[in-house]
Amino acid sequence: MHRPTDEYAFRLPDPAQLDPAVLGALLARHGWRRRGGAAGHYARWTPPGGAAGGTSLLVPQTRTFPDSTDLIAEALAALAHSAAPSAREVLAALAVPSDEVRWEREVPEDGIGGTPWVAQEQLRTAARSMLMAGALGTYGRAGFYGARHKRKAEAFMADVLVGPAPAGRRLTAYVPVEAGRAAVAGLQRALHATRDATDYQRATGGMEAFDAAVELGVCHELAEALISLVRDAEGVRISVEWSPGAGPPPGFAARPEPVEFSPGDLPALQQAAQRYVRDEPSLPVRVTGAVVRLRRERPGGPGVVRLRVLSGADVLQVRVALDEEDYRIAGHAHLVGLPIRVSGRLESRGGFRRITGASDVTPVQVDEAERDRLLKSLQENLDVFEEACGGEVPLPLPLPLPGE
């Protein structure tokens, strides 16, 4: 959630393209009240708590009347200038067809949770982590993702709009339907599965329900996000509202039931988070990656390299411990602008950021553009490789290339 609604609230949609039924549904969702109007023709809406700042909107019910577009344009302009906080929320929802995920957090008046900026940051961070968990579940099922799929999940988050978080008590995220519907639907399913598994654990002491819930999208990352939300709070309520223009996804209720968690759920959530990390197995991989760092304690011995992963694993970077010969191959491959391919096991310990049992280290041919980019990276970080090679960068030796 990198983009606040402030950036988008005044990018008004085209009045000629806006469905008045969608505008009316969003006004009702955000607490605006319908105060009458010509039956079957128009409706007058006032903000929550009354006509704040004298604002009221006249919204047509259909587009069958000649002044419909003008009235919608006037309503959008009035929302843009309204002092009601809900007006900004309506405009944010109109900026792009979005599903809304809402967090309501009961924060005590004293203690760390009562410090407004601490509580606000805690809510934003936990909400972001929860949406990331929803996105991760669309790429495959796992109890613990670690660094896997991080690049794709962060790309998804770049399109999410987020509203203000007053005193860390309420927050709304607007997730574009086209790019994020699967993530929101998966998150909704996973939250209910987490609630059920937590109830089972509290009633029986057993963790079997959490094991089965992995297939429903429950994971370490989701449990940790819930722990962050509940900690220092008296309770949290999470709800989903589908885009009125798109409607609910197949198999989901039009108005899903909110999910609530309380401090009494923390022990079960903490056990689940630890269990998911402990039980997630390592994976056999054959990774192709560009060497971005080399390190060894002395010249002429084994060392550790860091690879920027190009293919073979859904992680951004990995560390690999290599013997002397493989370390030499990795160092010289980098010096001549080539990535390497290595086989091993991607370890869950450390978040899937390390390959153990490395073997079959081989330089890989790439196109000229990628090779030039790798060589430029070497020139910019020459001191790293001088240090790694004992203070002197060795001249590249001939390396066997694929097909030779």
Side-chain angles (χ1 to χ4, degrees), residues 90-214:
V90 172
L91 288 173
L94 289 172
V96 61
S98 301
D99 296 322
E100 299 178 25
V101 183
R102 297 181 183 176
W103 295 264
E104 299 173 63
R105 192 164 178 257
E106 298 179 28
V107 181
E109 296 298 333
D110 54 4
I112 187 172
T115 305
W117 70 268
V118 172
Q120 184 179 102
E121 185 61 25
Q122 196 171 20
L123 176 56
R124 287 184 178 277
T125 300
R128 173 183 169 80
S129 297
M130 185 172 290
L131 288 176
M132 288 275 285
L136 289 169
T138 66
Y139 310 133
R141 294 289 189 240
F144 174 50
Y145 292 93
R148 291 181 292 172
H149 307 297
K150 184 177 180 181
R151 184 187 290 112
K152 289 189 287 186
E154 288 182 339
F156 155 77
M157 291 301 301
D159 292 327
V160 176
L161 309 183
V162 59
R169 298 178 187 276
R170 295 180 305 279
L171 181 68
T172 302
Y174 304 89
V175 185
V177 171
E178 184 174 351
R181 168 56 65 90
V184 175
L187 176 60
Q188 171 71 8
R189 184 186 298 111
L191 284 169
H192 281 279
T194 305
R195 180 66 267 170
D196 292 343
T198 302
D199 290 340
Y200 180 86
Q201 194 281 335
R202 294 187 67 174
T204 68
M207 298 296 292
E208 305 92 308
F210 276 106
D211 296 338
V214 171

Side-chain angles (χ1 to χ4, degrees), residues 41 45-46 51 58 71 118 123 126 132 141 191 209 283 305 320 339 343 351 371 389 399:
H41 294 71
W45 296 84
T46 58
L58 190 63
L71 286 175
V118 172
L123 176 56
M132 288 275 285
R141 294 289 189 240
L191 284 169
L283 306 171
V305 300
V320 190
S343 299
R371 180 166 177 160
C389 297
L399 289 172

Side-chain angles (χ1 to χ4, degrees), residues 32 50 62 76 85 88 107 145 147 209 211 269 274 281 341 366 379:
W32 287 63
T62 70
L76 292 175
R88 187 174 299 275
V107 181
Y145 292 93
D211 296 338
L269 293 171
Q274 295 166 5
R341 182 174 292 133
V366 294
Q379 294 168 0

Side-chain angles (χ1 to χ4, degrees), residues 4-37:
T5 56
D6 291 352
E7 297 181 21
Y8 296 87
F10 299 110
R11 294 185 185 179
L12 304 181
D14 183 355
Q17 302 298 321
L18 180 60
D19 184 349
V22 171
L23 177 56
L26 289 172
L27 289 169
R29 174 181 297 177
H30 290 277
W32 287 63
R33 297 191 175 188
R34 183 172 173 172
R35 298 295 186 184

